[in-house]
Amino acid sequence: MDFTFSEEQQAAAEAARGVFAGVAPDAVPSPALTQGRPVADTFDRALWGRLAAADLLSLLLDEEHGGAGLDAVALCLVLREAGKVLARVPLLESGAAAAAVQAYGGPELRSELLARSGRGEVVLTVAPHGRTGHDAAELAVTARQEGEGDWILDGVQTAVPWAHEADHVLVPARTGDDRSVLAVVAREREGVVLAEQISTTGERLGELRLESARIPSRYVLTAEGAWEWLRQVLTIGTCALALGVGDRVLAMTSDYASKREQFGHPIATFQAVAVQAADRYIDLRAMEVTLWQAAWRIAAGAPGPLPASGDVAVAKIWASEGVRRIVQTAQHLHGGFGADVDYPLHRFHAWAKQLELSLGPAAAHEEALGDLLAAHPLG
């Protein structure tokens, strides 16, 4: 078996490193200083333009839509680089949403959105958290179709990333006959109400309220499995961001511990410090291997002893707990210096906490994995 990345995937990662090379993690005010206000009015539009110019917004799109035709592994490689610099762009949400439209949308919708999204002219996002952040997102909105015509959507989705900046939001909803659909909802459409929410990172989120919003049928993806596939891509993308955050934080901690001296010696030479750093390195490697396993299952559609959702659950367990342990250890080893708002570690800590919250508690994923094992006995 060959576990190396393809030349195209490596080229995407290299292009991302070039674009992100000039991004400073603390280029915007710290959430610790904004007192409940968003750290900025919008995402980093200049960076968004550079990503579009480097063809990194169209990675998953086919050539006919101006894309590179790559897969979820390539997207995760780019997102890992984005996590290292805390890139404030809807790269995951817009890329995953466009890929879902390409895979499950009709010709008219694909023609309307895909090429423009790949050029950065149209911004897409997804409402993945449901009403409370704990319930299934598709249960938060009801969808009913008037004959063969428009769909009517009612419900509330909370903590929608980049909702105030996106042109369209992909909203999962449940029909009366217990099917899941994905509605492509324009932000300015009648019946769509947005309220401001603030994330742990200080970014603007949106509470999306749908009040009998009328959506033309061409904007509703009804194919079976569309929402499940999009949810899995969003999940592994979030794991990739967590991997990038953890990678950068561990490197920062290593650099600090090798220079900070106590009793005439760098603290990195102390056994207690070395053991803690080694444990976090193991966390990081486990986050990495489980991410690539899950991304490969989704990209290749490869069979396995468990459904791909099992690999996704394992990746979520390690990403959720691993990134938290890495930043906590980093704060501990940095001492009071880690809380200094002039040093970027506190912002990485906020991002790690937001990613952990987005992924959900590891115990819930372990329970889901247990259910899968019960339904698909191994051996």
Side-chain angles (χ1 to χ4, degrees):
M1 291 182 289
D2 186 1
F3 293 102
T4 58
F5 299 114
S6 69
E7 290 184 7
E8 293 81 4
Q9 291 165 345
Q10 294 181 60
E14 184 62 32
R17 282 191 286 271
V19 172
F20 293 131
V23 178
D26 261 9
V28 296
S30 161
L33 301 177
T34 51
Q35 298 296 317
R37 293 176 286 107
V39 294
D41 292 332
T42 186
F43 58 82
D44 190 337
R45 296 281 180 174
L47 177 58
W48 189 248
R50 295 198 297 273
L51 288 167
D55 296 325
L56 291 173
L57 302 184
S58 57
L59 281 178
L60 303 186
L61 300 182
D62 295 336
E63 290 185 10
E64 64 179 294
H65 302 299
L70 297 182
D71 57 18
V73 175
L75 177 63
C76 287
L77 283 166
V78 172
L79 289 169
R80 178 173 64 175
E81 300 303 321
K84 291 178 182 179
V85 298
L86 308 184
R88 300 183 51 259
V89 286
L91 181 59
L92 167 59
E93 295 81 7
S94 198
V101 170
Q102 176 175 260
Y104 299 100
E108 188 176 356
L109 183 61
R110 294 199 298 267
S111 176
E112 178 182 344
L113 294 181
L114 295 187
R116 296 174 64 207
S117 72
R119 296 192 297 267
E121 299 167 2
V122 168
V123 179
L124 307 176
T125 191
V126 186
H129 299 304
R131 186 183 182 108
T132 65
H134 300 287
D135 302 322
E138 67 271 20
L139 302 181
V141 174
T142 60
R144 56 184 175 85
Q145 189 175 20
E146 294 183 333
E148 298 295 322
D150 295 346
W151 289 76
I152 309 300
L153 270 57
D154 288 280
V156 177
Q157 295 278 2
T158 193
V160 180
W162 315 110
H164 294 272
E165 293 82 21
D167 299 289
H168 299 273
V169 183
L170 267 65
V171 180
R174 204 69 161 180
T175 66
D177 55 356
D178 207 29
R179 292 183 298 117
S180 294
V181 298
L182 269 173
V184 182
V185 179
R187 178 167 49 90
E188 301 296 336
R189 182 170 291 278
E190 185 178 355
V192 177
V193 181
L194 271 179
E196 186 176 81
Q197 297 174 316
I198 307 296
S199 74
T200 304
T201 61
E203 302 292 349
R204 277 210 308 175
L205 303 175
E207 181 192 70
L208 179 70
R209 188 175 296 274
L210 301 167
E211 300 173 345
S212 297
R214 183 176 294 272
I215 311 298
S217 60
R218 70 177 182 275
Y219 289 100
V220 180
L221 315 182
T222 59
E224 184 177 355
W227 167 232
E228 178 62 22
W229 182 85
L230 177 55
R231 176 166 51 193
Q232 289 184 351
V233 173
L234 289 172
T235 298
I236 62 169
T238 305
C239 292
L241 289 170
L243 177 63
V245 169
D247 203 345
R248 182 65 176 268
V249 168
L250 194 61
M252 291 169 59
T253 304
S254 175
D255 181 66
Y256 177 80
S258 66
K259 296 176 180 177
R260 175 77 165 90
E261 292 190 359
Q262 285 187 351
F263 310 112
H265 299 279
I267 63 173
T269 62
F270 299 162
Q271 186 178 36
V273 172
V275 166
Q276 291 181 72
D279 285 342
R280 301 295 77 83
Y281 178 80
I282 292 171
D283 279 334
L284 193 66
R285 295 285 73 82
M287 291 167 63
E288 185 172 24
V289 70
T290 54
L291 165 64
W292 300 132
Q293 170 69 12
W296 172 75
R297 285 290 305 276
I298 293 171
L306 292 178
S309 55
D311 294 288
V312 172
V314 174
K316 288 167 74 174
I317 291 167
W318 277 104
S320 178
E321 292 210 325
V323 74
R324 171 176 52 80
R325 288 193 293 255
I326 288 170
V327 296
Q328 285 180 342
T329 297
Q331 289 283 17
H332 175 66
L333 296 182
H334 275 82
F337 195 46
D340 188 342
V341 294
D342 292 325
Y343 187 69
L345 181 58
H346 76 285
R347 185 157 177 78
F348 279 94
H349 199 158
W351 270 61
K353 177 54 65 176
Q354 180 64 34
L355 290 168
E356 181 189 1
L357 292 170
S358 297
L359 289 166
H365 311 321
E366 290 165 353
E367 183 177 349
L369 185 59
D371 291 341
L372 283 172
L373 288 168
H376 303 82
L378 304 180

